[in-house]
Amino acid sequence: LDEEKGMVAVYEPLDGKGLGTGVVVDPAAVIHSTRLPAADQAGKNEQALIIVRPDDHGRVSYRSGFAWAADGEITSESSWLDYLKTRTP
C-alpha cells in the first residue's frame, strides 16, 4: 500500500508460484488509504482500502492487473512492483 504512488499491490504464492495483483490510481486523487485487519482466524487475509476523489465528471481512473510467475515474464515481487510503478491510470 503506497499512498504517495497511488498503488495497492500484493505478491503471494499460488500453486507454488508467485502471483502479483495490484491497482494503480492517480496519487493526487487519493484521499485516504489504510490496511484493514484480517478477519480470518489465521490472520492471513488482511485487506487494503484506498479512497479516491472522482474527477469533475464523477469518474475515477485506475489500472488493475495481475502477473503470475509461471508465465515467466514477471517472476518476483520486486519485478512486479517495478512494473506497477511504470503504469499510469
Side-chain angles (χ1 to χ4, degrees):
L1 184 60
D2 189 334
E3 191 170 310
E4 288 183 14
K5 291 183 176 71
M7 187 168 68
V8 176
V10 172
Y11 195 84
E12 57 193 346
L14 175 69
D15 293 336
K17 304 287 184 186
L19 172 70
T21 57
V23 175
V24 179
V25 299
D26 177 0
V30 175
I31 296 170
H32 180 70
S33 65
T34 189
R35 293 179 189 272
L36 303 174
D40 62 313
Q41 285 190 328
K44 292 184 175 183
N45 294 311
E46 183 180 82
Q47 302 292 313
L49 174 68
I50 188 163
I51 300 170
V52 297
R53 180 175 290 104
D55 68 15
D56 292 338
H57 301 286
R59 297 178 298 213
V60 173
S61 295
Y62 65 94
R63 298 268 185 197
S64 64
F66 73 95
W68 190 35
D71 287 339
E73 187 174 338
I74 296 175
T75 58
S76 69
E77 182 174 10
S78 62
S79 61
W80 174 237
L81 294 174
D82 288 344
Y83 173 81
L84 287 177
K85 290 173 188 172
T86 67
R87 304 295 105 187
T88 56

